[in-house]
Amino acid sequence: MWKTMFGCGAALAALAAGGAAWAQDRSAGSAASADDDSEIVVTAQKRSEKLSDVPVAVTAVSADQLQAAGAVTLRDLSASAPGLQIAGGIGSGSLTIRGITSGNDGNSTVGLQIDGAPVGPAAFGAAGGSYMPELDPSLLTQVEVLRGPQGTLYGSSTLGGIVNYVLKQPNLGETEGSFFAEGMTTRKGELGGTLRAMVNTPLATDRVALQIGGFGSALGGFVDNVAAGREDFNNRKSYGGRIALAAELTPDLRVTISDLYSRVESKQDLVVYNPATQRPAAGDLVNNDAVLPVYNSKLNMVALNVDADLHWATLSSITSYQNLDSRNLVDFTAARLGAIVVNFLPLYGGVTLPTPANPAVSVELGTDKITQELRLTSPDDGSFKWVVGLFYNHEKSQNAQVVSSYDENGRPRPGNLSPLVRYDLLTHYTEYAGFGNATWSPTPKLDITGGIRVQFIDQDYRQLYSGSDAAALNALFGDFGFSPTPADSGLAKDSDSVVTYLASVRYKFSPRSMVYARFATGFRPGGPNIIVPGLPTTFEPDTTYDYELGVKTSFWEGRGFFDLSLYNIDWKNIQILTIANGINGQTNGGSATSRGVEASLRLEPADGLTLSGSFAYSDAKLNETIPGGLGTKGDPMPMNPKWSGSLSADYEWPMGDAEGFVGASANFVGKRYSGFQSSLVYAQYVLPSYTLVNLRGGVRVDDWEFSLFVRNLGDERAQLGATTLASNLVAVQRPRTIGAAISKRF
C-alpha cells in the first residue's frame, strides 16, 4: 500500500485544525471561559474557528470520545450529533442528516471529507450512497458533522450536510505515541478485540516529522444460520493504518504527504424479520438465507497537503488520489429476480440451476478518484474576510451487478452458473468548480456572509451486458414487448452546470452569545442508469434549499454551552431508487420538505462532572405523489425518526496519584419507515423505536488508563436499518457487550 505514496504529484493543502472536547482537554476542576483556547476548533467555513463562533449547525466529536464510546464503524457515530442517522440495512448503510434521504440512496446525500478532501464517488455509477469510510479513532483528532446543505464551500452530494474526518497531524517538536488494546465478549456471540498503536518522531527537530499509526479489529459474530448449521456467522475484521511525513520547509511553508489505508471484511449484521410482527422470522438473531450476506470494502487514499503563508493570505492546496473497492452480496431467493432466474429463464434456453439454486446479486464497485483544491484564505483579523478557490475532481468507476448461483459462503459456483447475468456500468466523471465566500463585519457584533459556487460536470458512460442467461433474459423481455438489452450500449455523454449559494447573518450579543440566520443550497449530480426495460436511461440532479435560524451561547462562566437551530429544507426533483426486473436504478420524483428543531446542552456543574444532552425533531414528508407507485403525497421520508436524542454524564475525581472516572450515555431513536409508506414498488417495513445505554469506568495512572465497559446494557434488539429488496433484512444492534481496555500514551 505504501508504494503509492509518492505517485501523487501536485501542491496542496490546508492544515486541518484539531481540538478535543472540553472535558478531554481540561484537568479536573478547571472551567473554561468563553475565550479559553481549550474550546473546540472546527473548519466548517474552510478556516479555523471556535465552534461557538461558527454560524453553522456543527457538532465536533473528539477521538477520545469516539474511543470511549467504542465507536468502530461510522454507524456508531449517529448517537453523537443531533439529526444524524444511518439509512439502509445493506453494507455499512448510508448517512442521512435532517431527514434528507429517500431510503436507499444511490448517491450519497451527505458529503464525506478527510482533511478537506472529498472522499467516495460522486457519480451514481459508483453507487456512492452505499459507501462509508471506516476510520479507526487512533487515526483521528476529531469528526465534524455539519448539518444543513453545504454545496457552496464543499460541492456535490451535500444535500443534507457533510461529515469531515480531521486526521492527526505529525508533531514536528517531540516524540510521542500511544497504544490501545481492548477485549470484549458479546451475549449470544463470540469474543472480539481491537489493537491500536501510533508513533510520532521528529527526523529533524521542528523541521521534519514522521507519524505511523495502525489498527486491527476483530468483532465476533452473533447471528446464526440454523438451516446451514452456522453459528455466529457475522464476524467482522477491519485493519489499516496511515503513514504521514510533514516538513516545515520554511517558517511560512509546510508540506505533508500521507497514505491512508482501511479494509473491512465482514458478514453483515442482518436478520430476517416478519414485517407484520416486527419480530425475527426464524428466531432471535437468526438469518436463514441460503447465501450469507457479505460486505467488504477497501480505501487507499494518498494525499499531498501544502500550506503557504503569504502574509496577506494563506495559499492552500489539497490533492488526493483515492482507490475504493467494495462488494455487497445479498441472497435473492425470495425476490422476484430469483424466481425469474430459477423458474422462467430455463424455459427460454437459460441455465437450469441445481438444487438448491441459491440465486444472489453481488454489487461490485470500484473507483479511482483524483481531487485537487487550490484555495486562498484571508487573515482572520479585520472587518472583511474571504475565501476563494478552484476545485477539480476526476473519477473512473465501475458498477457491476452480477447475478449468479452461489454457495452459502458467497462463492460463485463455477462454469455457466457464474455469471448468469452481468451488468457493467462504466463511468468517467469530471467536475470543475470555482467558489468564493466573503464576510463583512460592519460592527464588531454584526457579520454578513455571502458565497457562491459554480460547477460544471461532464460524464461519459457505457454499459456492458453478458452472462450465460443474457440471451434468455432478452427473450423473456421480448415476450413482454421490451427491447433487448445490447451487449454494449456504446458511449454516451451527459453534462450539467450547477450554481449553489450561501448567505448568513450573525449577531453577537456578547463575546459568549450569538444568533444567526442562514440560507444555503446543496445539490447532487444526475447521471446514467443501467439499461434495463422499465428504467429511464438518465436521471437529473436534485437540489436542497435550507432556511435556518440558530442560537449559540456560553454561560455560567464557561461551565455551560447551549445551541439551538430551527430549519426548513425544501428538496426539489428528488432522486429515488427504483427497481425494474430485479435490477436497481434511479429516477426523479417530485419534492419534499423537512422541518425541524435541533438542540444540545453541555454543563459542568461541579469539578470533574460533565453533563450533556441533545435532541432532534424532524418532520420530513413528500409534497407530491411520485409517479410509478413509488410514494404518495404526505408520506414520511424513509429512515427518518421524528424524535431522537441522547444523554450522557461523565465524572472524574482524584485518587491520590491516580484519577478515577465513570460515564454513562443513552441514545434514543424513534420509529422509522424503511421506504415510502405507500410504495407499490417496495414492501414496507416499520422499524420500532429503541434506546441504547452504555456504561464505562476506570482509572488513570500516569500515562496509563485501565477501563471496563458495558455497551447496550439493556441487551436491546435495536433495528438500525432495513431493506426489502429481497427478504425483509434488518440490520440489528450488537447485543450486550462487556469488555476491558488498556491504553498508554508516551
Side-chain angles (χ1 to χ4, degrees), residues 456-537:
F456 300 94
I457 298 170
D458 294 319
Q459 297 185 71
D460 64 62
Y461 45 91
R462 71 190 308 161
Q463 177 185 296
L464 306 179
Y465 174 67
S466 60
S468 53
D469 272 0
L473 186 57
N474 270 342
L476 176 64
F477 287 159
D479 272 2
F480 286 90
F482 295 123
S483 300
T485 301
D488 186 340
S489 68
L491 190 66
K493 297 184 177 182
D494 185 50
S495 296
D496 284 306
S497 60
V498 180
V499 180
T500 52
Y501 306 93
L502 165 68
S504 68
V505 177
R506 179 186 67 174
Y507 184 79
K508 300 190 74 171
F509 296 102
S510 71
R512 300 184 177 187
S513 302
M514 64 98 154
V515 62
Y516 68 89
R518 182 174 186 267
F519 169 76
T521 66
F523 90 101
R524 185 167 48 166
N529 261 329
I530 286 178
I531 301 174
V532 173
L535 290 179
T537 56

Side-chain angles (χ1 to χ4, degrees), residues 229 285 375 404 477 507 681 702 705-706 728:
L285 300 177
R375 187 171 72 238
S404 294
F477 287 159
Y507 184 79
V681 178
D702 295 328
E705 179 176 298
F706 306 88
N728 291 295

Side-chain angles (χ1 to χ4, degrees), residues 653-661 698-699:
W653 69 96
M655 300 172 56
D657 293 333
E659 182 181 62
F661 62 90
V699 62

